[in-house]
Amino acid sequence: MRVQQIMTSPALGVTPDTSIATALRLMLDNRVSGLVVLDAQGALVGVVTEGDFLRRSELGSEKRRSWWRDILASPARKAADYVHDHGRRVADVMTGKVISIAPDTTLEVVANLMLEHGVKRLPVVDDGRVVGIVSRANLLKVVAAALPGTEPGTADDRAIETAIAAELERQTWISARYITARAQAGAVVLTGTVFNDEERKAARVVAENVPGVRSVADQLLWVEPISGTVIPPAN
């Protein structure tokens, strides 16, 4: 799937000279947590987000330093912090270094960029123009839509057992021969052996992710590999 299939378009935008009051009202009225910042030609010059407004004189949350950090801070750094905490224009608080993506970027790349750079949204730019914005919320909608359903009457027990076995076979954390899945009307019972609690959880997740599975009963035996102690299932 590509960004252009899930992005929000058009992206709400402001200019660097837009007042902070106007930008905040635009965000609140439209229930968004960030805006793109565009110059007079419509080119992307930054983003402004809810996080940019957390250190503000109105909240009493201006940036404060310990006495020794205050001594080390340059006058230019102190002046820049004052502008951010007290400024009245978007240019005073916005983030100027922006990571942007193309409309045909894959969702895998988008997710990795967000995680790597700690950002919640990415502007989508095509031929120098902002055509949309993709946020974590857009990605979560894709995840929610892809999760298997549990509607009654949709289970094919043999297909469920085959799918669980195939997924276990693909994994390297345990041999598939140690776990058996049996399904009846979508209710799966896992039996066999695991060697730590994480393998137990992972086996349950494998079963839960197969379409048509309505419930998973864990009857796996946990064998501690060093001592050989057998820990029975909790249920």
Side-chain angles (χ1 to χ4, degrees), residues 172-179 192-203 220-231:
T172 58
W173 40 266
I174 195 170
S175 173
R177 69 177 184 271
Y178 292 125
I179 299 176
T193 304
V194 293
F195 301 101
N196 56 65
D197 198 43
E198 295 308 314
E199 290 176 358
R200 179 192 298 279
K201 295 175 184 176
L220 296 165
L221 291 177
W222 174 3
V223 178
E224 207 289 316
I226 297 178
S227 67
T229 301
V230 177
I231 304 172

Side-chain angles (χ1 to χ4, degrees), residues 14 16 35-39 43-48 94-98 123:
V14 291
L35 304 168
V36 294
V37 184
L38 309 173
D39 64 14
L44 179 68
V45 294
V47 294
V48 61
M94 73 179 194
T95 299
K97 295 181 180 179
V98 184

Side-chain angles (χ1 to χ4, degrees), residues 64-86:
R64 295 181 175 86
R65 301 179 179 84
S66 62
W67 65 270
W68 64 273
R69 286 183 180 274
D70 191 61
I71 292 174
L72 294 176
S74 68
R77 179 67 267 171
K78 293 178 183 179
D81 289 343
Y82 185 88
V83 169
H84 185 279
D85 297 346
H86 297 80

Side-chain angles (χ1 to χ4, degrees), residues 90-113:
V90 166
D92 297 329
V93 299
M94 73 179 194
T95 299
K97 295 181 180 179
V98 184
I99 302 167
S100 62
I101 53 176
D104 61 350
T105 305
T106 65
L107 301 194
E108 177 186 2
V109 171
V110 173
N112 287 333
L113 283 173

Side-chain angles (χ1 to χ4, degrees), residues 46-202:
V47 294
V48 61
T49 73
E50 57 192 6
D52 293 317
F53 299 111
L54 294 183
R55 289 205 176 277
R56 292 290 301 176
S57 58
E58 296 84 357
L59 297 175
S61 57
E62 302 99 319
K63 188 166 186 177
R64 295 181 175 86
R65 301 179 179 84
S66 62
W67 65 270
W68 64 273
R69 286 183 180 274
D70 191 61
I71 292 174
L72 294 176
S74 68
R77 179 67 267 171
K78 293 178 183 179
D81 289 343
Y82 185 88
V83 169
H84 185 279
D85 297 346
H86 297 80
R88 290 290 180 264
R89 300 184 307 142
V90 166
D92 297 329
V93 299
M94 73 179 194
T95 299
K97 295 181 180 179
V98 184
I99 302 167
S100 62
I101 53 176
D104 61 350
T105 305
T106 65
L107 301 194
E108 177 186 2
V109 171
V110 173
N112 287 333
L113 283 173
M114 288 182 176
L115 291 170
E116 180 182 352
H117 297 279
V119 296
K120 296 181 179 180
R121 65 199 58 77
L122 295 170
V124 184
V125 178
D126 187 22
D127 195 25
R129 308 283 295 184
V130 176
V131 295
I133 193 165
V134 63
S135 68
R136 291 184 181 182
N138 295 128
L139 296 182
L140 294 183
K141 290 177 182 178
V142 175
V143 174
L147 289 172
T150 57
E151 296 80 2
T154 62
D156 180 333
D157 292 333
R158 181 62 62 86
I160 287 173
E161 293 171 358
T162 300
I164 293 173
E167 181 62 20
L168 287 170
E169 190 67 42
R170 283 191 286 269
Q171 303 310 311
T172 58
W173 40 266
I174 195 170
S175 173
R177 69 177 184 271
Y178 292 125
I179 299 176
T180 299
R182 292 289 180 261
Q184 184 173 3
V188 173
V189 178
L190 297 176
T191 58
T193 304
V194 293
F195 301 101
N196 56 65
D197 198 43
E198 295 308 314
E199 290 176 358
R200 179 192 298 279
K201 295 175 184 176

